[in-house]
């Protein structure tokens, strides 16, 4: 029996794949060696999910991996026309980040409602200033993106008493379609971007959409950085079109030192960490091992990405 070759696009720390010892030949690659190793690999594990090396190195014709798994929810960093047109199966880390990201969004909503950023500023200034804050119960949120992460966010906010609407690519039971989005944005206290990056969602939060939000509204993006026209958001914050915002993802990461977002009033910047709780890498490694065991047994894989849409279809 031929032992399959698993190629890992490396990132530190490396994944724990001890359960696969003796069952697979593991090779390692970085951006400079990936193209030369891809034709001989049966499986590619994109452990470095910040890299765009797969898009640049994927072979158009000839031998190539039969299966690609990325240790991330988003797949825009690896999908290219050649991969999308091939018979290679692509899977993602759907399910690992849902609850942590939902908790992170809830923390931001509570922090904004209770004015915690200003409280910390006043403490540093040794200033005692009594203020009234908002109750989140009874406020309205729209979560843009109806996948598992969006649904987890909606459920967590609803547990806090927030009346939450989900908006997705198509209308279905419990989910609003694109035709309702502008109306929902205009009435929301909290706007949460949790959509995948596709040609239809790229730049969807632009000056027009920030302009239709309430002056008291807050915007949070934990989806993909390219969902937002960053210059438009910075302008909306400077012009007080909205009350504040939080970004965990950016068009360029790490966020450049010279970016105007660092100084945008009312903006919380976090370094793409909303889903990264203690032990998250171990969960990602275990998920891949379990998927590998299905693949090796010829069983159907979970989390299969629709390569034309750019995400795992919902049910």
């Amino acid at each position: 029996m031929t032992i399959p070759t698993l190629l890992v696009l490396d990132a530190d720390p490396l994944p724990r794949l001890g359960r696969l010892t003796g069952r697979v030949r593991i090779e390692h690659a970085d951006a400079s060696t990936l193209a030369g190793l891809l034709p001989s690999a049966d499986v590619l594990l994109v452990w470095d999910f910040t890299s765009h090396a797969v898009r640049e190195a994927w072979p158009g014709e000839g031998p190539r991996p039969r299966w690609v798994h990325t240790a991330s929810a988003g797949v825009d960093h690896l999908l290219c026309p050649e991969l999308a047109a091939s018979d290679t199966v692509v899977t993602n880390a759907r399910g690992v980040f849902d609850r942590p990201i939902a908790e992170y969004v809830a923390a931001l909503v509570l922090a904004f409602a209770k004015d915690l950023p200003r409280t910390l500023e006043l403490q540093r200034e040794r200033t005692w200033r009594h203020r009234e804050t908002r109750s989140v119960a009874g406020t309205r949120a729209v979560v843009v993106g109806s996948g598992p992460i969006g649904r987890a966010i909606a459920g967590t906010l609803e547990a806090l008493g927030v009346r939450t609407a989900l908006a997705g690519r198509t209308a279905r039971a419990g989910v609003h379609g694109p035709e309702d989005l502008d109306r929902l944005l205009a009435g929301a206290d909290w706007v949460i971007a949790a959509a995948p990056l596709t040609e239809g969602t790229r730049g969807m939060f632009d000056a027009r959409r920030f302009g239709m939000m309430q002056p008291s509204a807050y915007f949070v993006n934990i989806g993909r950085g390219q969902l937002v026209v960053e210059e438009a958001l910075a302008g909306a914050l400077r012009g007080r079109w909205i009350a504040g915002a939080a970004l965990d993802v950016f068009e360029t990461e790490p966020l450049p030192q010279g970016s105007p977002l660092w100084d945008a009033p009312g903006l919380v910047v976090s370094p793409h960490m909303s889903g990264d709780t203690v032990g998250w890498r171990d969960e990602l490694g275990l998920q891949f091992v379990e998927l590998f065991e299905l693949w090796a047994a010829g069983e159907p894989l979970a989390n299969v990405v629709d390569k034309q849409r750019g995400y795992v279809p919902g049910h």
Side-chain angles (χ1 to χ4, degrees), residues 11-273:
D12 288 327
L14 293 175
R16 297 183 180 181
L17 304 175
R19 275 172 51 181
L20 300 183
T21 300
R23 302 166 58 189
V24 64
R25 179 184 302 105
I26 299 177
E27 296 184 353
H28 297 273
D30 58 20
S32 66
T33 60
L34 182 64
L37 293 171
L38 275 173
S40 61
D42 297 291
V43 179
L44 171 64
L45 168 57
V46 184
W47 191 247
D48 183 359
F49 51 79
T50 66
S51 172
H52 288 79
V54 176
R55 293 175 61 93
E56 299 161 3
W58 190 260
E61 298 291 340
R64 54 182 175 258
R66 290 174 281 159
W67 168 37
V68 174
H69 177 77
T70 179
S72 62
V75 297
D76 51 276
H77 60 290
L78 59 87
L79 282 183
C80 58
E82 293 80 9
L83 175 52
S86 73
D87 57 1
T88 297
V89 176
V90 175
T91 57
N92 72 354
R94 178 181 172 113
V96 172
F97 301 107
D98 306 356
R99 179 53 52 191
I101 291 178
E103 293 173 354
Y104 199 86
V105 170
L108 288 168
V109 167
L110 288 168
F112 282 136
K114 303 309 175 185
D115 201 21
L116 291 184
R118 183 59 178 151
T119 295
L120 295 173
E121 289 177 9
L122 291 170
Q123 180 181 348
R124 285 191 293 268
E125 297 169 4
R126 297 174 180 254
T127 300
W128 182 279
R129 183 175 301 162
H130 180 271
R131 297 161 347 268
E132 294 179 345
T133 62
R134 300 175 67 180
S135 173
V136 297
T139 59
R140 294 179 179 273
V142 55
V143 179
V144 184
S146 57
I149 292 174
R151 293 197 300 271
I153 292 169
T156 302
L157 293 180
E158 287 169 354
L160 295 172
V162 180
R163 290 175 286 179
T164 305
L166 271 173
R169 182 172 179 268
T170 56
R172 57 189 186 276
V175 179
H176 294 267
E179 64 279 3
D180 292 337
L181 182 56
D182 288 353
R183 174 181 59 82
L184 293 170
L185 293 178
D189 300 290
W190 317 101
V191 177
I192 317 298
L197 179 61
T198 67
E199 287 309 307
T201 62
R202 186 182 301 273
M204 67 184 302
F205 290 101
D206 54 12
R208 183 184 74 85
R209 286 211 156 111
F210 289 123
M212 67 178 53
M213 295 180 195
Q214 301 181 88
S216 58
Y218 288 84
F219 173 77
V220 176
N221 184 17
I222 50 75
R224 306 300 286 174
Q226 294 86 349
L227 300 178
V228 177
V229 179
E230 292 178 349
E231 182 179 352
L233 173 59
L237 291 167
R238 288 193 299 267
R240 308 297 182 187
W241 295 4
I242 59 176
L247 299 180
D248 186 56
V249 287
F250 302 86
E251 186 169 359
T252 300
E253 296 182 5
L255 185 64
Q257 285 287 321
S259 171
L261 292 175
W262 288 110
D263 300 314
L267 178 63
V268 173
V269 170
S270 59
H272 205 149
M273 56 182 279

